[in-house]
Amino acid sequence: MLLNRHFPVTSLVASLFLMVLAIGCEKPQKAPEQALKSATKATFEIDTSLCDFHRGACAKQVGETLISLAISPADAPSEKPLSVTLTSGATLNNLKVRVEGRDMFMGVIPVILSETAKNTYQGTLIYGSCSSNYMVWRLIASFEIDGQSKTVMYDFLADNSGRND
């Protein structure tokens, strides 16, 4: 009898839960670049609705205000510092920014932005890599304009070569 007083059901459930967590995203094994490209090409096409920083800033309309996000380097590489710039047509009060995985939980990464010029906010972001080779991140900015709370979201692909071939 597997489930007896020496191995309670709660231990079994906890063990199974921990095994599921351990299977999450982890750094992919090193592969030759050509094999990696062909595997990615065969499996994924880049979603054209995502922000593509190779083409410039990604703009969203929030009420009457246009807010743009730029990330550099444009390929948004995992595990490297990224420069994040949010530019707005109006002053953003109480600005709070975070980054999360869009399709899978990768934690919540706060991003501290400072106003570096009128209505321009900059900071640095670092996020982890995922073994799926197709990780979409979501930057969520919450703020107030004229006393009203607003939120804007930008989805973008990590490690984006800029080529959909």
Side-chain angles (χ1 to χ4, degrees):
M1 175 159 213
L2 180 62
L3 299 175
N4 61 27
R5 62 188 172 121
H6 299 292
F7 195 79
V9 173
T10 55
S11 294
L12 177 64
V13 171
S15 297
L16 290 173
F17 180 72
L18 289 173
M19 285 174 35
V20 169
L21 286 178
I23 296 173
C25 284
E26 52 191 49
K27 191 168 183 164
Q29 298 295 320
K30 297 282 183 191
E33 188 173 329
Q34 189 59 36
L36 184 59
K37 283 181 183 177
S38 64
T40 303
K41 180 181 176 184
T43 309
F44 303 111
E45 272 194 45
I46 296 173
D47 181 350
T48 57
S49 70
L50 300 175
C51 294
D52 183 353
F53 303 113
H54 294 280
R55 296 181 184 183
C58 191
K60 301 267 182 154
Q61 190 76 33
V62 179
E64 300 295 316
T65 306
L66 187 66
I67 302 174
S68 298
L69 172 68
I71 292 181
S72 178
D75 59 340
S78 299
E79 300 179 339
K80 295 202 167 52
L82 306 174
S83 176
V84 176
T85 304
L86 204 61
T87 307
S88 172
T91 300
L92 305 178
N93 296 307
N94 299 319
L95 177 62
K96 292 182 176 67
V97 177
R98 69 185 189 275
V99 172
E100 304 175 356
R102 182 189 70 178
D103 303 318
M104 67 180 73
F105 184 73
M106 297 287 286
V108 176
I109 305 165
V111 181
I112 308 300
L113 299 182
S114 301
E115 191 169 17
T116 57
K118 184 169 175 54
N119 302 335
T120 299
Y121 309 85
Q122 291 184 314
T124 302
L125 163 67
I126 299 176
Y127 48 71
S129 64
C130 182
S131 62
S132 74
N133 293 328
Y134 193 88
M135 181 65 203
V136 177
W137 291 95
R138 175 170 285 165
L139 183 137
I140 303 164
S142 302
F143 49 87
E144 292 178 4
I145 296 178
D146 298 328
Q148 293 187 9
S149 295
K150 307 280 185 181
T151 300
V152 64
M153 294 183 276
Y154 300 88
D155 294 341
F156 60 94
L157 181 63
D159 306 303
N160 181 1
S161 66
R163 291 174 280 156
N164 192 9
D165 50 65

